Amino acid sequence: MEFTAISGVGEKTAAALDDLDDAERALREGDVAALAKAPGVSAGRATTIARAAIRHEHGAEGEFLATDRARDVFESVLSLLRERTVTDYAARRLETLVPTGASSRIAEVRELVERATSREIADATLDALSAVEPLDTPPATRVRERCLATTDAETYAEAEDAFPELSVEVIDDARGLAELARSYSTVIALDESFAGVDIEGDVRVRPDAFDHPAEIVPERLLSFFAANRERLLAAARVHETAGMEPPCDLDALRDALDRLDDDATPVGDDELDRLTTAVDDLDAAVSTAESVANDHLREVIRERDVTIEGTDFLSLVEQGARVDALLSRELADDFDAALEKARGHLVESLSLSDEADLAERVFDDDPTFPLERNEEAVSRLRTELKAARDRRAAGLKADLADDLGALRDPVEDLVRAALERDVELALARFAADFDCTLPEIGDGVEGVAIEGGRSPLLDVAFEDVEPVDYAVSGVTLLSGVNSGGKTSTLDLVALVAILAHMGLPVPADSARVERVDELHYYAKSQGTLDAGAFEATLRDFAALAEGTDSRLVLVDELESITEPGASAKIIAGILESLDGQSVTAVFVSHLAGEIRDAASVDIAVDGIEAVGLVDGELQVNRSPVTDHLARSTPELIVEKLATEDDDAFYGRLLEKF
């Protein structure tokens, strides 16, 4: 797919889309979450791009919604759909279901609807969906115990870009590699020339590093799974509660996630826990070991009587001897016992095994009081423990990354399928809440025919909406009393037409809709227009009359734009221009009779008939009657007065109608 061929996609956006792994699939399927991962593409922009791509894919580049009122009805439809989603993804995804005149797109969405309406709407699935979001890519985390090494400047630049988590060092030879091995737990040489070089430490020669990033930086994969843990678990629950076939072994996924901490480190390994605790507690354990030994010596000295002959004491003083000499001479066995206690405590408290020999060196054999640590030995023990910990962690990370690596692509499908199920369930809930059915739509259908249609856009509870039957084709005037439902009928026709051209079900018992290229819906003007606005309105209708595309035109009380006498003539002229074109038009007007009389062609007139007044309330048959000019509200009131009062005045008024 040529990205720049999509309306609104320039070179910069096309380059951003090129950075995605599968941009064509995302554009084709309207995957707004995937598109929003492109650099500089926001969620709203992703929706706009997806809409344009879908139109381009189906050859429907034109704008179906040709007027503000048509777009308002469409936005109301989207609101109803979004209200029935759980996830933000589904809400944005449904925004890509734009109406078009493309039969291929309509058929594509209808297939989606048929799948959707076959789904069970389970509360457990909706609850699980509340924690599902598109998978996130966490920022690179610096790994300080490992580095890359190379002698080549180009390889260095490539490694810097490919592995932002690691330090990359430029070296001259094997000696430089050896120096790095003394500073890092693991050194990865990128040059094949180092193969076979014997260097002390964990040095690995991996000229294939760029082809196996998960092996070089397993932390990247582990961070991804740690950051998306709850989303993955929620997606797994969606599959289970909805009875969906998962793309991977869910038990294996859960087991792997259980072995991973929130900070992307492996958990559940006793040896790693031992080494980690030993590193963290080393200083405290050494201090406690010192106290154990010194408490023992202090107690021994307190309870022992030590006799020193005068000449010996004088000799010790002259030699500058300290109490160490006395310990060596008089308390050698007790010092050995104290030393053993100190070393034993250190080994036991830190659960040292292979490191026990190093632990013994922390306290020297030479008698001293108080007993003091050998800082160099402590540092050496700490270094060894850290190295052992890091090696163990690296091995566990590699093993866990290997297990999770096999799940990396499937979990993308797992989450995408869960999010798409939310899209389907929203459509299913929409269809169920408004008693919808898929309409017949196609070139063989003329106009719009609705049976038992009820608009969810009315400001009343849906179950209280009176059903409407209405069929119209060609150019028609719709007459009726005030508050009789003429505007609501236009809204219903617009709603059904928009939903049908989106490929969605409509709120009716049945419906037939002619497939058209454009919907023009003009709302009632709020008062008479000034000269400039009136001229602009006439220009709109002039362009409409000259168009060649198939169109559905809905106009609500156009006479309000100017004086009634002129309005009737103008509307008659507009209807004459539309007559005989590929147009179905419904003009609501209180001047239907005058317009019909002014027109030079036969204009059909339908009417929403009021059947009377009861206790001051207008009683109306909401379904328009074909070929019928409806009586006005004033006529009904005069008729009621003439019948009730038997007054000649009212009779004469009634005759005027």
Side-chain angles (χ1 to χ4, degrees):
M1 180 184 296
E2 184 65 38
F3 296 151
T4 53
I6 299 170
S7 177
V9 175
E11 295 292 343
K12 184 177 179 180
T13 302
L17 294 174
D18 270 331
D19 285 346
L20 298 176
D21 291 335
D22 195 357
E24 289 195 21
R25 180 205 60 78
L27 290 168
R28 189 170 53 254
E29 297 178 6
D31 188 345
V32 290
L35 295 175
K37 291 181 179 180
V41 176
S42 65
R45 175 72 173 141
T47 301
T48 300
I49 292 171
R51 285 179 173 180
I54 289 168
R55 288 195 181 101
H56 175 70
E57 181 78 7
H58 293 276
E61 305 286 359
E63 179 56 66
F64 179 86
L65 304 167
T67 62
D68 289 341
R69 180 56 187 157
R71 287 185 283 273
D72 288 343
V73 176
F74 170 65
E75 288 298 328
S76 297
V77 169
L78 288 184
S79 294
L80 294 174
L81 291 169
R82 286 192 296 256
E83 287 170 5
R84 284 153 182 81
T85 63
V86 178
T87 64
D88 290 340
Y89 168 86
R92 294 197 302 272
R93 171 80 166 81
L94 288 170
E95 291 176 1
T96 68
L97 302 183
V98 292
T100 72
S103 57
S104 58
R105 175 58 177 172
I106 294 170
E108 186 177 80
V109 178
R110 285 169 69 97
E111 289 180 8
L112 170 62
V113 170
E114 288 172 350
R115 289 198 307 272
T117 51
S118 69
R119 307 300 189 196
E120 178 186 358
I121 305 172
D123 290 339
T125 302
L126 298 176
D127 182 62
L129 278 167
S130 63
V132 180
E133 296 180 56
L135 295 176
D136 188 24
T137 301
T141 302
R142 198 70 173 170
V143 179
R144 303 191 181 281
E145 69 271 12
R146 191 179 321 125
C147 79
L148 303 173
T150 180
T151 60
D152 180 66
E154 290 187 6
T155 303
Y156 170 85
E158 186 180 358
E160 282 260 290
D161 183 60
F163 301 105
E165 301 91 342
L166 303 180
S167 294
V168 185
E169 307 287 348
V170 176
I171 57 175
D172 295 325
D173 49 29
R175 180 179 298 177
L177 201 60
E179 290 177 359
L180 289 177
R182 287 192 286 271
S183 302
Y184 291 92
S185 298
T186 301
V187 178
I188 300 172
L190 301 176
D191 304 343
E192 192 170 2
S193 59
F194 288 115
V197 175
D198 186 15
I199 296 174
E200 184 178 353
D202 187 8
V203 178
R204 308 172 189 177
V205 181
R206 293 295 303 269
D208 63 342
F210 297 104
D211 297 326
H212 303 280
E215 296 177 13
I216 305 304
V217 192
E219 291 84 357
R220 183 183 302 174
L221 190 62
L222 302 186
S223 294
F224 169 82
F225 277 92
N228 292 291
R229 179 198 307 276
E230 296 307 319
R231 304 175 191 201
L232 294 173
L233 293 175
R237 290 196 298 274
V238 169
H239 278 71
E240 290 172 335
T241 58
M244 301 166 62
E245 185 67 30
C248 61
D249 187 330
L250 299 183
D251 290 335
L253 174 62
R254 290 191 178 100
D255 176 68
L257 291 174
D258 285 342
R259 293 155 55 197
L260 185 65
D261 206 349
D262 290 339
D263 63 357
T265 58
V267 294
D269 182 76
D270 293 339
E271 178 63 6
L272 180 60
D273 292 343
R274 180 188 75 82
L275 291 168
T276 301
T277 300
V279 171
D280 294 341
D281 296 350
L282 178 59
D283 286 332
V286 171
S287 295
T288 302
E290 285 178 335
S291 298
V292 167
N294 289 325
D295 288 347
H296 175 78
L297 288 173
R298 194 174 288 109
E299 186 67 25
V300 168
I301 293 171
R302 185 180 295 114
E303 294 179 358
R304 285 282 298 272
D305 292 328
V306 179
T307 303
I308 304 177
E309 294 182 4
T311 54
D312 291 337
F313 180 74
L314 182 61
S315 175
L316 290 170
V317 171
E318 289 174 344
Q319 295 171 19
R322 301 180 303 146
V323 71
D324 304 353
L326 291 176
L327 287 173
S328 178
R329 176 178 169 178
E330 299 292 336
L331 302 173
D333 291 341
D334 295 308
F335 177 79
D336 289 342
L339 187 62
E340 189 64 27
K341 282 189 174 185
R343 289 171 173 170
H345 176 82
L346 184 59
V347 170
E348 184 178 350
S349 63
L350 298 181
S351 301
L352 302 181
S353 54
D354 296 340
E355 308 85 7
D357 290 342
L358 287 175
E360 290 186 1
R361 300 176 192 175
V362 170
F363 301 108
D364 293 333
D365 292 330
D366 296 334
T368 59
F369 182 78
L371 182 68
E372 294 181 352
R373 72 188 74 181
N374 181 327
E375 292 292 353
E376 184 178 343
V378 173
S379 179
R380 177 67 185 278
L381 177 58
R382 180 181 290 106
T383 298
E384 290 296 325
L385 287 171
K386 283 184 176 180
R389 177 199 63 188
D390 293 343
R391 284 194 299 272
R392 183 72 180 182
L396 291 171
K397 287 178 181 178
D399 291 342
L400 184 52
D402 186 56
D403 292 343
L404 290 173
L407 296 169
R408 180 61 179 85
D409 290 337
V411 297
E412 291 279 359
D413 296 334
L414 180 80
V415 172
R416 186 182 300 117
L419 292 170
E420 284 296 322
R421 180 54 62 99
D422 188 24
V423 174
E424 292 182 0
L425 292 181
L427 293 173
R429 294 164 77 186
F430 175 85
D433 289 348
F434 301 121
D435 297 331
C436 293
T437 184
L438 278 172
E440 178 185 349
I441 181 170
D443 299 328
V445 178
E446 292 185 2
V448 178
I450 303 168
E451 293 186 9
R454 292 189 293 163
S455 172
L457 304 182
L458 297 176
D459 194 21
V460 295
F462 182 72
E463 55 270 20
D464 295 333
V465 176
E466 295 181 38
V468 170
D469 299 334
Y470 188 41
V472 62
S473 63
V475 176
T476 303
L477 286 164
L478 180 60
S479 62
V481 295
N482 288 330
S483 302
K486 299 185 298 298
T487 298
S488 297
T489 299
L490 277 194
D491 283 347
L492 177 64
V493 172
L495 175 70
V496 168
I498 288 172
L499 286 168
H501 284 80
M502 292 171 74
L504 299 181
V506 301
D509 295 337
S510 66
R512 293 181 294 108
V513 180
E514 180 181 359
R515 186 169 61 84
V516 298
D517 297 315
E518 298 173 358
L519 168 64
H520 296 256
Y521 185 1
Y522 295 90
K524 184 191 307 183
S525 173
Q526 300 300 314
T528 302
L529 301 180
D530 59 32
F534 177 68
E535 180 181 340
T537 300
L538 288 183
R539 289 184 181 277
D540 285 345
F541 280 98
L544 182 62
E546 294 171 1
T548 57
D549 292 333
S550 56
R551 286 150 291 160
L552 173 62
V553 181
L554 307 174
V555 184
D556 194 4
E557 294 190 23
L558 185 59
E559 63 262 27
S560 62
I561 66 173
T562 189
E563 295 86 352
S567 293
K569 297 173 183 177
I570 290 169
I571 296 171
I574 293 172
L575 293 175
E576 289 171 0
S577 299
L578 295 177
D579 185 56
Q581 295 191 36
S582 299
V583 173
T584 292
V586 181
F587 279 61
V588 165
S589 179
H590 289 290
L591 304 176
E594 292 87 337
I595 295 168
R596 182 176 57 183
D597 293 341
S600 60
V601 297
D602 290 336
I603 303 294
V605 177
D606 298 336
I608 296 179
E609 182 68 8
V611 296
L613 288 167
V614 178
D615 298 328
E617 293 291 331
L618 195 66
Q619 303 298 302
V620 179
N621 176 9
R622 301 291 179 182
S623 295
V625 179
T626 303
D627 295 328
H628 175 73
L629 178 62
R631 292 183 296 171
S632 66
T633 303
E635 181 180 358
L636 288 171
I637 294 174
V638 172
E639 181 183 60
K640 176 176 181 295
L641 293 172
T643 302
E644 292 178 352
D645 294 2
D646 194 23
D647 190 309
F649 173 75
Y650 298 123
R652 288 192 299 272
L653 288 181
L654 186 60
E655 290 175 357
K656 298 296 182 182
F657 291 95

